[in-house]
Short mmCIF file of all heavy atoms in Angstrom, two decimals:
data_model
loop_
_atom_site.label_atom_id
_atom_site.label_comp_id
_atom_site.label_asym_id
_atom_site.label_seq_id
_atom_site.Cartn_x
_atom_site.Cartn_y
_atom_site.Cartn_z
N GLU A 1 193.80 41.09 309.44
CA GLU A 1 193.07 40.96 308.14
C GLU A 1 194.03 41.35 307.08
O GLU A 1 194.09 40.70 305.96
CB GLU A 1 191.75 41.53 308.08
CG GLU A 1 190.77 40.81 308.86
CD GLU A 1 190.59 39.32 308.54
OE1 GLU A 1 190.49 38.96 307.32
OE2 GLU A 1 190.63 38.47 309.51
N GLU A 2 194.71 42.45 307.28
CA GLU A 2 195.62 43.07 306.24
C GLU A 2 196.86 42.07 306.22
O GLU A 2 197.42 41.84 305.08
CB GLU A 2 196.03 44.46 306.59
CG GLU A 2 195.01 45.52 306.44
CD GLU A 2 195.48 46.88 306.71
OE1 GLU A 2 196.48 47.04 307.47
OE2 GLU A 2 194.78 47.81 306.29
N VAL A 3 197.31 41.54 307.36
CA VAL A 3 198.41 40.65 307.35
C VAL A 3 198.17 39.43 306.53
O VAL A 3 199.01 38.93 305.65
CB VAL A 3 198.78 40.30 308.72
CG1 VAL A 3 199.89 39.21 308.82
CG2 VAL A 3 199.32 41.49 309.61
N LYS A 4 196.92 38.92 306.72
CA LYS A 4 196.46 37.70 305.99
C LYS A 4 196.41 37.90 304.51
O LYS A 4 196.91 37.16 303.67
CB LYS A 4 195.18 37.24 306.61
CG LYS A 4 195.23 36.66 307.96
CD LYS A 4 193.94 36.16 308.44
CE LYS A 4 193.95 35.46 309.73
NZ LYS A 4 192.64 35.03 310.30
N ILE A 5 195.84 39.07 304.11
CA ILE A 5 195.64 39.41 302.79
C ILE A 5 197.12 39.58 302.10
O ILE A 5 197.38 39.08 300.92
CB ILE A 5 194.83 40.65 302.50
CG1 ILE A 5 193.34 40.33 302.85
CG2 ILE A 5 194.95 41.27 301.09
CD1 ILE A 5 192.46 41.62 302.97
N GLY A 6 197.90 40.19 302.85
CA GLY A 6 199.28 40.54 302.35
C GLY A 6 200.06 39.23 302.13
O GLY A 6 200.79 39.06 301.09
N PHE A 7 199.96 38.31 302.98
CA PHE A 7 200.68 36.98 302.88
C PHE A 7 200.14 36.13 301.68
O PHE A 7 200.94 35.53 301.02
CB PHE A 7 200.58 36.15 304.21
CG PHE A 7 201.35 34.83 304.08
CD1 PHE A 7 202.68 34.87 304.13
CD2 PHE A 7 200.73 33.60 303.95
CE1 PHE A 7 203.57 33.74 304.07
CE2 PHE A 7 201.50 32.47 303.95
CZ PHE A 7 202.78 32.56 303.99
N GLU A 8 198.82 36.00 301.60
CA GLU A 8 198.12 35.36 300.48
C GLU A 8 198.59 35.96 299.06
O GLU A 8 198.93 35.20 298.15
CB GLU A 8 196.66 35.24 300.50
CG GLU A 8 196.17 34.38 301.74
CD GLU A 8 196.80 32.95 301.66
OE1 GLU A 8 196.81 32.46 300.60
OE2 GLU A 8 197.15 32.46 302.73
N ASP A 9 198.69 37.30 299.12
CA ASP A 9 199.18 37.93 297.90
C ASP A 9 200.69 37.55 297.58
O ASP A 9 200.95 37.40 296.49
CB ASP A 9 199.12 39.48 297.96
CG ASP A 9 199.60 40.22 296.83
OD1 ASP A 9 198.95 40.30 295.80
OD2 ASP A 9 200.80 40.79 297.01
N LEU A 10 201.43 37.45 298.65
CA LEU A 10 202.81 37.11 298.52
C LEU A 10 203.00 35.79 297.84
O LEU A 10 203.67 35.46 296.85
CB LEU A 10 203.48 37.09 299.85
CG LEU A 10 204.89 36.53 300.04
CD1 LEU A 10 205.87 37.59 299.26
CD2 LEU A 10 205.35 36.44 301.49
N LEU A 11 202.23 34.74 298.36
CA LEU A 11 202.23 33.36 297.87
C LEU A 11 201.78 33.33 296.31
O LEU A 11 202.51 32.69 295.50
CB LEU A 11 201.36 32.53 298.65
CG LEU A 11 201.81 32.06 300.04
CD1 LEU A 11 200.92 31.03 300.66
CD2 LEU A 11 203.30 31.59 300.02
N LYS A 12 200.77 34.07 296.18
CA LYS A 12 200.18 34.11 294.75
C LYS A 12 201.14 34.78 293.77
O LYS A 12 201.44 34.18 292.58
CB LYS A 12 198.93 34.86 294.74
CG LYS A 12 198.17 35.03 293.36
CD LYS A 12 197.00 35.66 293.43
CE LYS A 12 196.35 35.96 292.05
NZ LYS A 12 195.11 36.71 292.05
N ARG A 13 201.73 35.79 294.10
CA ARG A 13 202.68 36.53 293.16
C ARG A 13 204.01 35.79 292.99
O ARG A 13 204.62 35.81 291.86
CB ARG A 13 202.89 37.92 293.60
CG ARG A 13 201.71 38.77 293.33
CD ARG A 13 201.81 40.25 293.76
NE ARG A 13 200.58 41.03 293.60
CZ ARG A 13 200.10 41.57 292.51
NH1 ARG A 13 200.76 41.31 291.42
NH2 ARG A 13 199.03 42.23 292.43
N LEU A 14 204.37 35.14 294.13
CA LEU A 14 205.68 34.33 294.05
C LEU A 14 205.46 33.05 293.40
O LEU A 14 206.45 32.38 293.12
CB LEU A 14 206.30 34.25 295.41
CG LEU A 14 206.92 35.48 296.09
CD1 LEU A 14 207.50 35.11 297.31
CD2 LEU A 14 207.95 36.13 295.09
N GLN A 15 204.14 32.61 293.08
CA GLN A 15 203.88 31.39 292.48
C GLN A 15 204.37 30.16 293.25
O GLN A 15 205.00 29.16 292.72
CB GLN A 15 204.31 31.30 291.02
CG GLN A 15 203.75 32.52 290.15
CD GLN A 15 204.32 32.51 288.75
OE1 GLN A 15 204.13 31.56 288.08
NE2 GLN A 15 204.75 33.66 288.35
N THR A 16 204.18 30.21 294.56
CA THR A 16 204.65 29.16 295.47
C THR A 16 203.63 28.88 296.55
O THR A 16 202.67 29.69 296.65
CB THR A 16 206.02 29.54 296.08
OG1 THR A 16 206.52 28.38 296.92
CG2 THR A 16 205.81 30.83 297.00
N ASP A 17 203.64 27.71 297.09
CA ASP A 17 202.79 27.45 298.17
C ASP A 17 203.31 27.44 299.54
O ASP A 17 202.72 27.07 300.53
CB ASP A 17 202.07 26.00 297.84
CG ASP A 17 203.06 25.00 297.70
OD1 ASP A 17 204.26 25.23 297.87
OD2 ASP A 17 202.60 23.83 297.52
N TYR A 18 204.58 27.88 299.64
CA TYR A 18 205.23 27.95 300.89
C TYR A 18 206.31 28.97 300.89
O TYR A 18 206.95 29.26 299.79
CB TYR A 18 205.80 26.60 301.48
CG TYR A 18 207.07 26.14 300.68
CD1 TYR A 18 208.29 26.42 301.24
CD2 TYR A 18 207.01 25.58 299.42
CE1 TYR A 18 209.43 25.98 300.55
CE2 TYR A 18 208.18 25.14 298.78
CZ TYR A 18 209.41 25.34 299.33
OH TYR A 18 210.49 25.05 298.63
N ILE A 19 206.75 29.47 302.06
CA ILE A 19 207.88 30.28 302.31
C ILE A 19 208.77 29.60 303.30
O ILE A 19 208.32 29.18 304.35
CB ILE A 19 207.44 31.73 302.81
CG1 ILE A 19 206.51 32.50 301.82
CG2 ILE A 19 208.65 32.58 303.23
CD1 ILE A 19 207.17 32.79 300.50
N ASP A 20 210.07 29.59 303.07
CA ASP A 20 210.96 28.88 303.98
C ASP A 20 211.07 29.58 305.34
O ASP A 20 210.86 28.95 306.43
CB ASP A 20 212.33 28.85 303.43
CG ASP A 20 212.33 28.07 302.08
OD1 ASP A 20 212.46 26.93 302.18
OD2 ASP A 20 212.16 28.70 300.96
N ILE A 21 211.17 30.94 305.42
CA ILE A 21 211.19 31.73 306.61
C ILE A 21 210.24 32.78 306.52
O ILE A 21 210.26 33.62 305.80
CB ILE A 21 212.65 32.37 306.83
CG1 ILE A 21 213.85 31.40 306.59
CG2 ILE A 21 212.65 33.01 308.36
CD1 ILE A 21 213.82 30.14 307.46
N GLY A 22 209.23 32.63 307.28
CA GLY A 22 208.11 33.70 307.48
C GLY A 22 208.58 34.69 308.55
O GLY A 22 208.49 34.49 309.76
N MET A 23 209.04 35.83 308.08
CA MET A 23 209.71 36.87 308.92
C MET A 23 208.67 37.86 309.37
O MET A 23 208.01 38.71 308.62
CB MET A 23 210.83 37.46 308.00
CG MET A 23 211.69 38.44 308.81
SD MET A 23 212.83 37.55 309.92
CE MET A 23 213.67 36.38 308.79
N ILE A 24 208.37 37.87 310.72
CA ILE A 24 207.51 38.85 311.27
C ILE A 24 208.21 40.13 311.19
O ILE A 24 209.33 40.39 311.65
CB ILE A 24 207.16 38.51 312.66
CG1 ILE A 24 206.35 37.20 312.90
CG2 ILE A 24 206.31 39.76 313.31
CD1 ILE A 24 206.13 36.73 314.16
N HIS A 25 207.67 41.16 310.45
CA HIS A 25 208.38 42.34 310.02
C HIS A 25 208.46 43.37 311.07
O HIS A 25 207.53 43.88 311.70
CB HIS A 25 207.69 42.83 308.76
CG HIS A 25 208.37 43.99 308.12
ND1 HIS A 25 209.60 43.90 307.59
CD2 HIS A 25 208.00 45.36 307.96
CE1 HIS A 25 209.93 45.09 307.11
NE2 HIS A 25 209.06 46.01 307.30
N TYR A 26 209.75 43.76 311.32
CA TYR A 26 210.15 45.07 311.94
C TYR A 26 209.46 45.21 313.33
O TYR A 26 208.57 46.06 313.43
CB TYR A 26 209.76 46.22 310.94
CG TYR A 26 210.17 47.50 311.44
CD1 TYR A 26 210.89 47.90 312.43
CD2 TYR A 26 209.67 48.67 310.46
CE1 TYR A 26 211.27 49.30 312.75
CE2 TYR A 26 210.04 49.93 310.88
CZ TYR A 26 210.69 50.26 311.95
OH TYR A 26 211.14 51.49 312.26
N VAL A 27 210.03 44.55 314.33
CA VAL A 27 209.53 44.73 315.67
C VAL A 27 210.67 45.37 316.54
O VAL A 27 211.63 44.70 316.90
CB VAL A 27 209.07 43.39 316.29
CG1 VAL A 27 208.59 43.64 317.82
CG2 VAL A 27 208.15 42.83 315.46
N ASP A 28 210.61 46.59 316.79
CA ASP A 28 211.64 47.36 317.48
C ASP A 28 211.20 47.85 318.94
O ASP A 28 212.01 47.97 319.86
CB ASP A 28 212.17 48.48 316.76
CG ASP A 28 213.16 48.25 315.65
OD1 ASP A 28 213.53 47.05 315.45
OD2 ASP A 28 213.61 49.10 314.97
#
């Protein structure tokens, strides 16, 4: 749920409806 909220916030603040590369963050 946090992942979804964070991504929707990303789109809204960047004023775009898509991201070219959706990078799953920091998997070590």
Side-chain angles (χ1 to χ4, degrees):
E1 288 306 316
E2 291 182 340
V3 172
K4 290 179 178 180
I5 291 171
F7 182 73
E8 291 303 322
D9 177 79
L10 174 69
L11 292 182
K12 179 180 178 181
R13 292 184 181 277
L14 291 183
Q15 302 178 53
T16 185
D17 56 4
Y18 73 98
I19 299 297
D20 299 276
I21 313 296
M23 190 69 57
I24 298 174
H25 184 65
Y26 185 7
V27 182
D28 281 0

